[in-house]
Amino acid sequence: MFSYKSRYCVAAAMAAMAALTGHVEARDIDLQSIGYFQFSPLPPSLVSQTDTLLLSDSPEYVGPVGGTLSAGTINGNGRIYFYHVNEMDLPHKIAIVLENQTAYPTSVHVMRQLKSVATPDYFAAGRDLSRKDLEQPLNESPDARPLYSLSIPPQGRQLIFSDLENTPVNRDALFTGIVDIKTEGPIFARVMMLPMGMDPVDASHWVKNLPIDEIQLRGTYTGAKRNMEVTTPFDTALGGAFVEIGNDREDTFINGVDEMQNKAFVRDRGNYGVSYTLKIPTKGNEPFRLYFNPLGGPYSGSFMVKALHQQGARRGQTDTRTYHIGGADGISALGEGTILDSRLLGNYNAGDLLTLNFMPAGASNLPIRFLLIPESLANPQKHQTIAVNVPKDVKDILGHPTQGGTQIPVGPVGGKDGDKGTVDTKKSTAESPAKRAETIAHEETKKLSDKAAADVKKEAQLKKAKDEKEALARKKAEEARLAAEKAEMSRKAAEAKHAEIERKMAEKAEAERKAEEARKAEAARKAEMARIEAARKAEADRLAAARKAEEARLAAEAKRLEEERRIEAARIEAARKAEEERKAAEAKARFEAQRAAEKAALEAKKAEEERLAAEARARLEAQRKAEQEALEARRAEEARKAAEAKAALEAQQMEAARKAEEARRAEEARRAEEARIEAERKAEAARVAAEAKRAEDARKAEAARIEAARKAEQARLAAEARRAEEARKAEAARLEAQRRAEQERLEAARRAEEARIVAEAKRAEEALRAEEARRIEEARRAEEARKAEAARIVAEARKAEQERLAAERAEAERQAAEARRIAEERYKAQLEAERKAEAARQQALAQAEIERKAKERAEAIQRVRDQQESARRRAELARQQLEAERKAAQASKRTPSFSELDDIHGDTSNVTIPNAVSIDELTKPRPTASQNTRRREQRQPQLSPNQQYVQIDPVANEPQQDQMPYTPQNEQQNDEENPPRLYPLG
């Protein structure tokens, strides 16, 4: 088994290896045992927050169709953060399209692109993006080079982060990522979820905007980069402390607007997508540890810790370490169902300036804490017990003998109190067993009494000190118990207050949620009604526009038909006029020719033969010309009939050509007429005379023929005009019938269209009513499901709260039991100390009693010696008196023997002291209290078999005050008044 120091060294080595390799140490710390709830808060202060954040996390679960998830405007430095789950059957992709809505080209620089794995393990996806955010940090230097740049023309759109095109997001998989960009003007960004293979730029024109969910984590915010600093340095001498992040108190959530909802107010609850830079200054004299402690629930992400050394040999140097929570350390997330989970983020020295970089990981929960725990609190040193060789003759402070090799507590190893409790083995309080046998009992008694008095005084001092210590310990134990009870009461009150606050907050949140849901339902109903009304109005407008368009089309068609009829009538009228003009011209030409022939016949009467021949030629020529003209007229009629299908312009061109042809023919006729007139004028003189009668007959016949031809031509022209008028009337009737039929068809079509529109409107209204009923039914079912879910959640929350309260009560009971156990142990220790003190006191009293009895025995011995000395002096005086009497008798009679002298006074009573103790026996050396360790009642009396009684003078027990000087008369008087008594020895 490792010793304490060896275990600590091994643990320190493992912690150092874990710090160097970048892995979180698997060793936890018992936060409750080191006073976690008494840690001091170190509130952070906001220094700055910059850059634009476009957050796309609502709707978090996308389905049953894709669309635009989030959209907003970025101008300058910005970040796009997306976090979505595909709830559709087919794989989809995330697409980000930028649109330049200005009138000028705008450049966009893409600085960084990060994406996580697409996986159903939400913690794995959030953890992966958190790790990549620290492994591939954003270069914020002014000369940083972008990954790529692009220029977007006015009203143009372009796709960025093209790697997302090849990243399918399967059903129930979470996919998250970030894009950091820098724009030179306002850019409107869209985040969409589309089917694989669809063109994102084309889809951005028509894809629908998806509604926001109840979490409302989307919109445009200011604060993608957040710098915070703890203004009060952490002092290692003041115990543990913590810095809390993401609590919406010291670290408030950022606010923004949702441009997809007419810039509605939104909050980023959790500051997801925000890059944190947190600075913590420290001071003190001992090293400390940094721990990560999740409060809001499970957390799985990465942290980077930079330590700037400001003391010692490494002053000015910076150590950078990255720690990963979850995944590689064998757990999915830290903090599931408890707030006492923690992970070590390294060991540091007092005075280091800590800088923490991180981004709240997706799928994880806030708030979180960073704990700063001094090494003495995180790893308290225990008292050690060492063995020292103590000689057997060394006594403790109470005078008790010790055993060799006794273990004595010496306090913390290497501590400043390590010299307490040590034993001086150089001195020995044991007294030498070879005392002088000649020491008189008085000196021995004095020494024993002095020693007993000193021991009693010392024992009294020790007892007083011990009593004071015990009283102080009892006082501290009582204070600790009262503090524990007060802390327990405070904790219970805080828990009750916290529970009440949580209940009120839950009720308030539930009320707000219900009000929000009611508001949303009302807004959705109003929006649906507005949509239905707008659809109805749009349908009515469309029908009206269609009806107007149809009427306009019918009017245009009628106008076109009328125009065609007018053009056709004009064409027929022009053709008729042209034919009439042609026929009139032909008749005029024939009439003029006939008149010229008659004039020539009148002038050529004299030359009848020449005239007849010339007239025959002229008639033949005129007939030929007439036939030619008729043929030409027929050809012109055929060309006219062939050209009737042509436009009015062609008729005009034909009319111009005809007029030109007629002018040419008129010119030729004029020239021929002039030649003929000239010829007739030359032959007129010869012809006029010879032809007078015949000319008159011929003239009459010709006039009759001409009149008949004219009448026939007029009849033909009238018939042709009649046929043309009939054809015109028939065409006009046909056109009118066609127009009426077209109008009737259009009217029928209009009525049918109106009936269809009415039927469609009716069907749409019925469909809308059915849809409204379905929506109401779905809303009712959703409300019932929501209420059931809310009831289930409330029941689960109540159950969880009851379980938590039960667990807290059990924990409180356990803590109370532990406190009671500690108090009982302290009380038992106190009782044991009192028992030991009482035993020591009893032993001291017993020792004092022994000393007192020894003193009394010495005094008794001294009185016996005094009595023996007095008896010896009286015997000596009696002997001297007897000797004097004997000498006097010898002098008077004879010299008696010594034996006679002994019996000289026969009448003197013989004083016998049975079992008397001799002087030698009284002065014999006896064992002292320091040598004889047996108790007094265990000792055997050291008397001879025949020594059972001793003569004791009771007067000696009385105070020896006001004694008279010793005289034989006093001695004799004392003997007569106080005869000796016998007392049992011992």
Side-chain angles (χ1 to χ4, degrees):
M1 181 179 293
F2 291 103
S3 65
Y4 176 77
K5 286 188 174 181
S6 63
R7 288 198 302 268
Y8 179 76
C9 294
V10 171
M14 292 177 66
M17 291 176 64
L20 293 176
T21 56
H23 293 287
V24 177
E25 187 179 357
R27 182 161 57 98
D28 292 333
I29 185 171
D30 187 1
L31 296 177
Q32 195 168 2
S33 64
I34 62 173
Y36 168 76
F37 297 103
Q38 283 75 40
F39 282 7
S40 302
L42 297 176
S45 299
L46 179 63
V47 178
S48 64
Q49 56 181 8
T50 58
D51 296 355
T52 302
L53 172 65
L54 176 60
L55 178 62
S56 180
D57 187 14
S58 182
E60 179 178 352
Y61 300 93
V62 183
V65 295
T68 301
L69 307 173
S70 180
T73 304
I74 298 177
N75 190 2
N77 295 332
R79 170 177 296 172
I80 302 172
Y81 176 90
F82 58 87
Y83 177 96
H84 296 284
V85 178
N86 179 20
E87 284 198 334
M88 294 168 281
D89 295 332
L90 297 178
H92 280 61
K93 65 182 179 182
I94 295 292
I96 302 175
V97 176
L98 304 183
E99 179 184 0
N100 180 12
Q101 297 180 345
T102 65
Y104 305 97
T106 302
S107 297
V108 178
H109 309 286
V110 179
M111 310 303 294
R112 185 175 66 159
Q113 299 178 161
L114 299 176
K115 63 178 181 179
S116 71
V117 295
T119 172
D121 187 354
Y122 296 174
F123 287 119
R127 179 171 60 241
D128 184 53
L129 184 63
S130 177
R131 176 192 291 265
K132 290 178 180 177
D133 176 59
L134 297 180
E135 291 176 348
Q136 304 176 28
L138 177 63
N139 189 354
E140 301 181 16
S141 60
D143 55 349
R145 298 183 60 183
L147 299 178
Y148 57 91
S149 300
L150 47 92
S151 178
I152 306 177
Q155 308 302 323
R157 305 187 184 193
Q158 288 195 18
L159 175 70
I160 63 172
F161 207 168
S162 59
D163 292 346
L164 301 178
E165 293 291 300
N166 302 320
T167 306
V169 183
N170 296 322
R171 179 177 175 84
D172 297 331
L174 170 65
F175 186 51
T176 178
I178 56 177
V179 184
D180 290 300
I181 63 175
K182 183 183 296 184
T183 69
E184 296 180 359
I187 289 293
F188 190 75
R190 286 182 176 88
V191 181
M192 301 176 291
M193 180 171 280
L194 305 173
M196 300 296 294
M198 182 177 289
D199 185 8
V201 177
D202 180 65
S204 65
H205 291 277
W206 53 267
V207 74
K208 293 183 178 180
N209 297 335
L210 298 184
I212 194 171
D213 60 15
E214 66 276 5
I215 305 301
Q216 297 187 353
L217 284 179
R218 81 174 181 191
T220 309
Y221 305 84
T222 299
K225 298 174 185 175
R226 194 175 185 88
N227 296 321
M228 305 193 72
E229 183 176 357
V230 177
T231 56
T232 303
F234 165 64
D235 192 349
T236 58
L238 299 180
F242 64 87
V243 180
E244 190 168 324
I245 295 297
N247 56 9
D248 200 22
R249 295 193 304 272
E250 300 87 0
D251 180 24
T252 57
F253 297 148
I254 58 177
N255 301 326
V257 295
D258 184 10
E259 298 185 34
M260 296 176 63
Q261 296 188 101
N262 197 20
K263 294 187 177 181
F265 175 79
V266 288
R267 298 193 75 188
D268 185 0
R269 300 182 184 276
N271 287 346
Y272 294 103
V274 177
S275 293
Y276 275 83
T277 300
L278 175 63
K279 293 185 178 181
I280 306 176
T282 64
K283 66 179 181 179
N285 297 319
E286 64 172 311
F288 65 93
R289 300 182 185 181
L290 178 66
Y291 283 89
F292 168 73
N293 172 224
L295 287 185
Y299 193 96
S300 182
S302 299
F303 301 90
M304 179 180 290
V305 184
K306 299 178 182 179
L308 175 60
H309 302 289
Q310 297 182 348
Q311 297 178 1
R314 301 189 61 195
R315 183 175 184 179
Q317 299 182 10
T318 302
D319 290 338
T320 301
R321 305 169 184 174
T322 303
Y323 300 91
H324 308 292
I325 309 295
D329 56 357
I331 61 174
S332 175
L334 188 69
E336 180 69 33
T338 180
I339 62 172
L340 298 178
D341 278 357
S342 63
R343 281 296 181 269
L344 180 66
L345 299 184
N347 300 323
Y348 305 94
N349 296 320
D352 291 350
L353 176 61
L354 303 184
T355 302
L356 283 75
N357 297 103
F358 64 95
M359 181 175 66
S364 295
N365 299 275
L366 295 174
I368 59 176
R369 280 183 178 180
F370 297 101
L371 308 180
L372 297 97
I373 305 176
E375 187 64 30
S376 60
L377 180 61
N379 190 14
Q381 297 183 359
K382 299 180 180 179
H383 282 74
Q384 302 297 308
T385 301
I386 61 173
V388 296
N389 293 323
V390 182
K392 294 183 178 181
D393 58 348
V394 176
K395 294 186 178 181
D396 58 11
I397 58 177
L398 297 179
H400 302 158
T402 60
Q403 301 294 329
T406 302
Q407 293 183 351
I408 300 177
V410 296
V413 177
K416 61 183 181 179
D417 296 333
D419 56 347
K420 291 185 179 181
T422 58
V423 179
D424 188 2
T425 60
K426 298 180 181 180
K427 297 182 180 179
S428 177
T429 58
E431 297 183 4
S432 174
K435 286 186 176 291
R436 292 179 302 167
E438 298 85 4
T439 304
I440 61 175
H442 181 70
E443 293 177 355
E444 181 185 358
T445 303
K446 185 176 183 300
K447 290 181 180 180
L448 291 173
S449 62
D450 292 341
K451 186 174 182 298
D455 291 341
V456 169
K457 184 177 180 181
K458 190 174 183 180
E459 179 66 22
Q461 292 177 353
L462 291 174
K463 185 176 182 301
K464 183 178 179 181
K466 194 167 185 179
D467 292 340
E468 291 177 354
K469 289 182 179 180
E470 290 173 354
L472 182 60
R474 285 193 297 270
K475 183 178 179 182
K476 289 183 177 180
E478 185 66 19
E479 290 177 353
R481 184 183 65 78
L482 293 176
E485 292 179 354
K486 185 176 180 181
E488 182 68 18
M489 293 175 63
S490 301
R491 186 185 66 80
K492 289 182 179 179
E495 287 179 354
K497 184 177 180 181
H498 183 66
E500 183 66 19
I501 292 173
E502 286 184 349
R503 184 183 64 77
K504 290 182 179 179
M505 290 179 65
E507 291 177 353
K508 184 178 179 181
E510 183 67 18
E512 291 178 353
R513 186 184 63 79
K514 289 182 179 179
E516 184 67 18
E517 288 181 354
R519 186 184 64 78
K520 288 182 179 179
E522 182 66 19
R525 188 184 64 78
K526 290 182 179 178
E528 186 65 21
M529 295 299 294
R531 187 187 65 79
I532 294 171
E533 182 66 20
R536 188 183 63 77
K537 288 182 179 179
E539 186 66 19
D541 294 341
R542 187 185 67 80
L543 294 176
R547 183 175 56 78
K548 290 180 180 179
E550 186 66 20
E551 291 177 354
R553 187 183 66 80
L554 293 174
E557 185 69 18
K559 186 177 180 181
R560 183 182 63 80
L561 293 175
E562 182 67 21
E563 187 69 20
E564 289 179 355
R565 187 186 62 77
R566 188 180 61 77
I567 292 172
E568 185 67 18
R571 184 185 63 78
I572 294 172
E573 183 68 18
R576 186 183 62 78
K577 288 181 179 181
E579 186 66 20
E580 289 177 354
E581 289 177 357
R582 182 184 64 80
K583 290 178 178 179
E586 289 178 352
K588 184 178 179 181
R590 285 193 298 272
F591 179 75
E592 288 178 355
Q594 184 66 28
R595 187 174 59 82
E598 290 176 355
K599 186 177 180 180
L602 290 173
E603 290 178 354
K605 287 180 180 179
K606 293 179 178 179
E608 184 64 24
E609 294 178 355
E610 290 86 358
R611 186 189 63 78
L612 292 173
E615 186 177 356
R617 289 193 297 271
R619 283 198 299 273
L620 292 174
E621 183 68 21
Q623 187 177 359
R624 186 182 63 79
K625 289 182 179 179
E627 291 176 356
Q628 184 70 28
E629 289 177 356
L631 179 62
E632 290 178 357
R634 284 193 300 272
R635 289 177 181 176
E637 183 67 21
E638 291 176 358
R640 182 187 62 78
K641 291 180 179 180
E644 283 180 358
K646 294 183 180 180
L649 181 62
E650 292 177 353
Q652 293 176 1
Q653 291 177 357
M654 289 177 63
E655 182 68 18
R658 188 184 62 76
K659 288 180 179 181
E661 183 66 21
E662 288 180 354
R664 184 183 63 79
R665 290 176 181 175
E667 183 66 22
E668 289 178 353
R670 185 185 61 78
R671 289 177 181 176
E673 184 67 21
E674 287 178 356
R676 187 183 62 78
I677 290 171
E678 183 66 21
E680 288 179 355
R681 186 184 62 77
K682 289 179 178 179
E684 184 67 24
R687 187 183 63 80
V688 171
E691 192 65 32
K693 187 177 179 179
R694 186 178 58 85
E696 183 67 20
D697 296 335
R699 184 186 64 78
K700 291 180 180 180
E702 187 65 21
R705 187 187 63 80
I706 291 171
E707 183 65 21
R710 185 183 63 79
K711 290 180 178 180
E713 185 66 20
Q714 288 179 353
R716 187 184 64 82
L717 292 176
E720 287 183 358
R722 188 173 60 254
R723 288 195 300 271
E725 183 65 21
E726 291 175 357
R728 185 186 66 78
K729 290 180 179 180
E731 183 67 19
R734 185 184 65 80
L735 293 176
E736 183 67 19
Q738 185 177 359
R739 185 183 65 80
R740 289 178 179 177
E742 185 68 19
Q743 287 181 352
E744 290 176 358
R745 185 185 66 80
L746 293 177
E747 183 67 18
R750 184 182 64 79
R751 290 176 181 176
E753 182 68 17
E754 289 180 354
R756 185 187 64 80
I757 291 171
V758 171
E760 287 183 356
K762 186 176 181 181
R763 285 195 300 271
E765 185 69 22
E766 292 176 354
L768 290 176
R769 290 177 181 175
E771 181 69 17
E772 181 67 19
R774 186 185 63 80
R775 289 179 181 273
I776 292 173
E777 181 66 20
E778 288 182 354
R780 185 184 63 78
R781 293 178 181 176
E783 181 66 19
E784 292 177 355
R786 186 191 62 75
K787 290 181 179 179
E789 182 67 16
R792 185 185 64 80
I793 292 173
V794 170
E796 291 181 355
R798 187 180 297 109
K799 183 178 179 182
E801 182 68 15
Q802 291 176 357
E803 291 177 354
R804 184 182 67 80
L805 292 177
E808 289 180 355
R809 284 195 297 270
E811 182 66 19
E813 291 176 358
R814 188 189 65 79
Q815 292 179 0
E818 183 69 16
R820 286 195 300 272
R821 185 185 63 78
I822 293 173
E824 289 176 357
E825 289 180 354
R826 291 179 179 175
Y827 181 69
K828 290 179 180 179
Q830 179 183 352
L831 292 179
E832 183 67 19
E834 291 179 354
R835 187 187 63 78
K836 290 182 179 179
E838 183 65 22
R841 188 180 64 80
Q842 293 294 335
Q843 188 174 2
L845 292 176
Q847 186 69 20
E849 182 67 20
I850 292 170
E851 297 297 334
R852 185 185 62 78
K853 291 182 178 180
K855 184 177 179 181
E856 291 178 353
R857 178 174 172 275
E859 291 177 352
I861 292 172
Q862 184 65 30
R863 287 196 299 272
V864 170
R865 290 187 63 201
D866 292 343
Q867 291 176 1
Q868 290 178 349
E869 184 65 24
S870 178
R872 188 180 64 78
R873 286 196 299 268
R874 287 196 300 271
E876 183 64 25
L877 290 175
R879 189 184 65 79
Q880 290 177 1
Q881 185 178 1
L882 292 174
E883 185 66 24
E885 290 178 355
R886 186 183 62 80
K887 288 180 178 181
Q890 285 179 354
S892 63
K893 295 180 180 181
R894 61 178 180 90
T895 304
S897 63
F898 188 77
S899 59
E900 292 178 349
L901 290 175
D902 290 337
D903 299 329
I904 193 167
H905 294 287
D907 55 351
T908 304
S909 61
N910 188 14
V911 178
T912 304
I913 304 175
N915 299 326
V917 180
S918 64
I919 296 301
D920 294 334
E921 183 68 22
L922 290 173
T923 58
K924 186 174 72 173
R926 300 181 183 274
T928 63
S930 61
Q931 292 174 328
N932 190 355
T933 59
R934 293 184 298 171
R935 298 179 62 181
R936 183 178 182 87
E937 59 268 20
Q938 295 176 352
R939 300 177 188 173
Q940 297 295 332
Q942 303 294 328
L943 299 177
S944 61
N946 58 353
Q947 291 178 342
Q948 299 296 330
Y949 295 92
V950 64
Q951 184 179 9
I952 299 176
D953 188 0
V955 181
N957 294 329
E958 298 177 359
Q960 303 292 327
Q961 296 180 359
D962 299 333
Q963 295 184 356
M964 298 296 292
Y966 178 76
T967 60
Q969 291 79 10
N970 292 338
E971 182 180 358
Q972 184 177 3
Q973 183 180 359
N974 290 335
D975 292 339
E976 292 177 354
E977 292 177 357
N978 299 310
R981 297 182 182 179
L982 297 178
Y983 293 92
L985 185 61

